[in-house]
Each structure stands twice: as structure tokens, then as C-alpha cells.
Amino acid sequence: MTIKDTPEEWEIRATETPFTGNKTSVRTDDVVMPDGSVARRDYQVHPGSVAVLALDEEDRVLLINQYRHPVRHKLWEIPAGLLDVPGENPLHAAQRELYEEAHVKAEDWRVLTDVYTSPGGCDEAVRIFLARDLSEAEGERFETEHEETDMEYARVPVDEVVRLVLAGQLHNTCLVVGVLSLAAAGASGGLAGLRPALAPWPARPFQE
């Protein structure tokens, strides 16, 4: 048995979109089950996202603190954003988000991990990058709006972020998955084995 996620699509007898929002929508599919029965499945249709675990020369992670209304919390997170343009190169999107949210650029980029955030109820796929060799971006800071106008910033040692995650103090998906993936990669032979920044991403195909 090979332990690997594999693409598969079961027959859909009917589909509708009862809600369409600004960036996402809700879809209802009638799906044929293995026994021939039909079950209705509601899920959020999402364009996909990128996130950036930016690591400085002192092994500190760049964190931002932002209000998230659905969960009624201000969460410590890593820079992230939507793949707004179909087929957009995720590396370019990640570089843009790092600049816009933190006014930082990076010279060394790798794929840290790819995840589905909530595959039972949403088709969102996220690619989390590791960015190193950081420096301040040139030019004016990006003009923020809405929740981003209230953001705070911190640089926290990797070990401390891991400790806070395991202590139940940090909850953002991309931050948790990213920093634990970084710790696991470091413990299993170093970061040289991480995939290149333009590694294929079947969940969200893109043009180089």
C-alpha cells in the first residue's frame, strides 16, 4: 500500500450554487456514494491561498497579529493571501503578500508544505512557503485597509513559536502547519531537502 493522497472524483448527479460572495461561494452537489446511494454535500468554493513563513538570520519567524471576525479573535499569523487570479503563479503571489503585509522581501524561497485547510467543508488549498535571506523592501509601504490597518508585528524564535503552538496559545492554520513543518524538516536532515519554490502543485495548477 502506498500512503499518498490521490485525485479522484465521484459522480455528481446534480449541482447548484445557492450563495456567491465576493471571493468565495457555496456549492451543493448530489454525490453518488460507493453503494449507489446519493448524498448531498455542501461546501465552500475557494480560489486557494498562499502563506509565507519568513525566517530571519536569527532563526526568528515574522508574525503578524490580525483580527479575524468569524472566530472573534486577534490571531498571530504568518503573511498570507488569496490567489485572486486564476492560474496565478503562487510564488509571485507569496512574494506580493510578504511585501504588502510586512514590507519585506526574501532572496531564498522553498515550498514548505501544501495543505487543504478543511477538506470536509471547503476546497481551499494553501501552499506555505519558507522565505529566507530577508531584507526590508524598497519604496513606500503598501497602503492597508480594513483589518490590516490594525496589524501588529513581531519576530519570534522558532522554538518559542513551536512551544506556543503546543501550549494551545496559537491557532492559525498556516502558522501552526508552517512552523511545525519547519521544525520537522530541521529535525530530519535539514532544509536542503525542501521542494523548490516552483514545484508542481496539482491542487492549483499554475504557469511559471
Side-chain angles (χ1 to χ4, degrees):
M1 179 183 296
T2 300
I3 305 300
K4 178 182 178 181
D5 295 339
T6 55
E8 183 168 318
E9 188 167 352
W10 292 357
E11 180 186 352
I12 298 172
R13 291 280 174 84
T15 186
E16 59 183 82
T17 305
F19 171 79
T20 300
N22 185 32
K23 298 292 184 182
T24 67
S25 60
V26 173
R27 183 175 296 164
T28 298
D29 291 340
D30 291 340
V31 186
V32 179
M33 298 289 112
D35 64 359
S37 63
V38 176
R40 176 156 289 194
R41 293 290 178 260
D42 303 316
Y43 59 99
Q44 182 185 22
V45 178
H46 195 285
S49 306
V50 291
V52 185
L53 195 150
L55 190 67
D56 69 15
E57 68 281 356
E58 298 179 36
D59 281 342
R60 298 178 302 176
V61 179
L62 172 62
L63 301 181
I64 58 177
N65 188 241
Q66 185 173 351
Y67 177 65
R68 293 301 189 184
H69 185 70
V71 296
R72 309 300 199 271
H73 271 71
K74 287 193 76 174
L75 299 179
W76 285 102
E77 307 179 349
I78 56 178
L82 298 175
L83 289 168
D84 295 312
V85 181
E88 182 178 17
N89 186 311
L91 174 60
H92 297 167
Q95 291 169 332
R96 180 185 67 239
E97 292 299 332
L98 185 61
Y99 159 71
E100 290 182 356
E101 294 195 348
H103 201 64
V104 167
K105 64 179 182 179
E107 300 301 325
D108 183 31
W109 290 82
R110 299 277 183 136
V111 174
L112 191 51
T113 192
D114 298 326
V115 294
Y116 290 114
T117 54
S118 184
C122 179
D123 72 351
E124 181 185 14
V126 181
R127 169 156 281 188
I128 304 175
F129 290 91
L130 174 65
R132 293 180 293 176
D133 194 3
L134 309 182
S135 61
E136 185 172 355
E138 296 90 356
E140 297 289 328
R141 277 189 168 270
F142 182 77
E143 187 173 343
T144 58
E145 60 180 1
H146 305 309
E147 291 92 344
E148 293 181 348
T149 60
D150 191 41
M151 286 196 304
E152 299 174 80
Y153 303 87
R155 295 196 181 198
V156 183
V158 172
D159 290 347
E160 176 64 6
V161 180
V162 170
R163 186 190 70 78
L164 292 169
V165 167
L166 297 179
Q169 301 300 309
L170 301 174
H171 306 88
N172 175 263
T173 300
C174 293
L175 170 59
V176 171
V177 173
V179 75
L180 295 183
S181 295
L182 178 66
S188 62
L191 305 179
L194 293 175
R195 288 171 290 162
L198 293 176
W201 189 18
R204 291 294 187 273
F206 63 92
Q207 298 292 322
E208 293 188 12

